[in-house]
Each structure stands twice: as C-alpha cells, then as structure tokens.
Amino acid sequence: MALGTEKVEEAVRALFPQARIARMDRDTTGPKGALVGLLKGLRERTIDILVGTQMVAKGHDFPDITLVGIVCADLSLSFPDFRAAEQTFQLLAQVAGRAGRGERPGRVILQTYTPDHFSIRTARDQDYDSFYRHEIEFREALGYPPVTRMVQLRIAGRDPRRTRATAEKLGAACRALLAAETGFARMIHVMGPAEAALSRIAGHYRWQILLKSPRSGPLQRFVRRLLADGPRGVGDRQVRVGVDVDPLFLM
C-alpha cells in the first residue's frame, strides 16, 4: 500500500475542500522556520486539519485538537525488530494523547488490519500494565532484552560481495570462539550473519550479527576477545565493522 503523507493530504483535500489543510513531514519542515510556522498555525487555529508523519506525536500540546486519525496503525508490527510491538504501542499511545488535551473530550480513530493484536488493543485502551504483561512474556520466552543483554555487530561496505564475505568470516570467527571456550558457549548465543532489513543505506551494503547473553560481563569479554584476535582473515579496509551495545536500531 503506497500511502505517503502527500497521498493522504490529497485524499483529505478531496473529502474536505473547504478545510485549511497543512502537512507536517520531512519535506515541509525542512526550510528554516517551517516547523515553527506549522505549530503557530495550529495554535492560532489557521489550520483545520494537519496531515503528518510520526513527528506530529512528539510532545506537542494543542488543546483545541479533538480528533486524531491514525492510518495503517499496525504498519510497524511488521518490522523485523523484537521491539516492534513496543514501538507500535508507544507511537499509538503518543499520537492518541494529542486529542482532547483541553476542556473538550477527544476521539481517536485507528485504521488497522490487526485489531486483535495486543499492542493495538492495549494502546486503544491506554492499558500500560496489560501491554507490559503481554510483552515481557514474549521477551522471556525468546530471550530478548531486558531479560538478556545484546550486542550488534554491524558490517558495512560499498562492495556487496566483500561486505558479505566479511560478515560470513566474522560469523565463523564468533562460532570458532564459542567452540574454543566452553564458558562462552554456555553464555553466548550468536544469531547471523544476516543481511540487514535496510540492506543498503547511503551506498553502503549492510549485514549484522546479534549476540545475546543473560549477563553483560561474558558478552563484553567475548566481544573484546573477538576484536582483539583480529579476527584473522576478516580484516578488509573496504568494509567497516561496528559494535553497538544494547542496540536501539536493528533495521
């Protein structure tokens, strides 16, 4: 489904031809002073309908907004990230909080293909405790943070073959270290290498390896040992290897 903010704005203008409509996204807020102008328009009621991306949810306080509509509210649930449900709940709860902040009550409409998903239901009900109970059960069952610690090894380079080769060599080095050290084998779980969901950014091809452990100490020692050893045969000056402890971005 191709529903960018421009398409949504076009549809809204067709439905409400008399309304004063503005759009808040990267394109419209790029010029200096543009964002301030949009916020001023909302505050002074010269804008009737605002169409925007996630940035409309970020802490703005407009008492006169009484209706919020969220298109494709479940889109982020399909992201290949163990925090997808958490991020969906957080965003929906934030956006819903923009409505009814003044004396008049607010209303929120969610458009979703998965209305029974717990993150959608709990966000609708603003039920933080219920969301936590569902989500922590999932994290515990699969061993994801916060019940474990995680390190992401990021491999990026301009040549796709060399980048993949480096990722595969680094993955082999991880498993060789696990085989050589029984202490690591009991505490460290290696996932990957795998091509990143966003496989190319700014001309760089991207791969990743995820390391999990119940405790941070063994994980830190494993990474230090891995990088101190070279590892032999992995080094390629055309490919960068980065380490992200407790990563927030897995795409």
Side-chain angles (χ1 to χ4, degrees):
M1 178 183 295
L3 273 183
T5 49
E6 292 184 55
K7 285 285 188 180
V8 175
E9 180 188 16
E10 182 180 320
V12 171
R13 288 189 183 280
L15 289 170
F16 305 100
Q18 304 303 318
R20 297 166 296 180
I21 300 170
R23 192 174 85 246
M24 180 185 289
D25 56 21
R26 184 179 299 179
D27 293 334
T28 62
T29 59
K32 184 177 180 180
L35 177 58
V36 174
L38 285 171
L39 299 179
K40 183 179 179 182
L42 284 172
R43 189 170 291 109
E44 296 180 353
R45 301 187 186 183
T46 59
I47 295 175
D48 298 318
I49 301 174
L50 179 66
V51 177
T53 57
Q54 297 181 13
M55 64 175 62
V56 303
K58 304 302 181 181
H60 304 302
D61 184 10
F62 301 108
D64 295 319
I65 292 179
T66 56
L67 176 64
V68 170
I70 305 173
V71 180
C72 295
D74 50 15
L75 185 63
S76 55
L77 287 176
S78 62
F79 290 174
D81 190 321
F82 69 89
R83 286 181 299 262
E86 177 186 358
Q87 292 166 347
T88 299
F89 175 85
Q90 182 182 41
L91 178 61
L92 296 183
Q94 280 184 327
V95 176
R98 299 311 101 200
R101 299 176 70 86
E103 295 180 357
R104 293 183 295 170
R107 185 183 183 193
V108 180
I109 299 175
L110 305 179
Q111 185 267 319
T112 174
Y113 293 98
T114 55
D116 293 326
H117 192 281
F118 72 89
S119 66
I120 303 293
R121 288 189 289 102
T122 54
R124 177 199 63 193
D125 299 335
Q126 297 284 285
D127 189 345
Y128 291 79
D129 290 340
S130 181
F131 171 79
Y132 174 80
R133 288 194 297 271
H134 280 85
E135 183 66 8
I136 199 65
E137 182 179 353
F138 156 72
R139 304 283 182 94
E140 289 174 344
L142 297 182
Y144 281 114
V147 298
T148 59
R149 302 297 299 272
M150 179 178 285
V151 167
Q152 179 188 43
L153 303 178
R154 295 176 176 171
I155 305 98
R158 293 191 177 276
D159 186 297
R161 290 188 297 272
R162 296 176 72 165
T163 304
R164 177 172 182 167
T166 298
E168 290 175 345
K169 289 178 182 178
L170 188 58
C174 287
R175 290 179 170 83
L177 185 53
L178 288 182
E181 300 282 351
T182 57
F184 285 147
R186 290 195 302 267
M187 298 296 294
I188 308 293
H189 178 58
V190 178
M191 296 183 291
E195 194 172 26
L198 298 178
S199 60
R200 189 181 183 189
I201 295 179
H204 287 82
Y205 295 88
R206 305 170 65 249
W207 286 68
Q208 64 181 2
I209 297 171
L210 298 179
L211 310 174
K212 293 192 303 182
S213 176
R215 302 204 311 268
S216 61
L219 200 55
Q220 293 171 2
R221 290 193 295 273
F222 181 86
V223 173
R224 282 198 297 266
R225 175 77 176 275
L226 180 71
L227 299 181
D229 287 350
R232 294 182 180 85
V234 173
D236 186 329
R237 292 185 178 182
Q238 302 301 315
V239 179
R240 297 198 312 268
V241 176
V243 178
D244 190 356
V245 179
D246 296 327
L248 295 177
F249 183 74
L250 296 180
M251 298 283 286

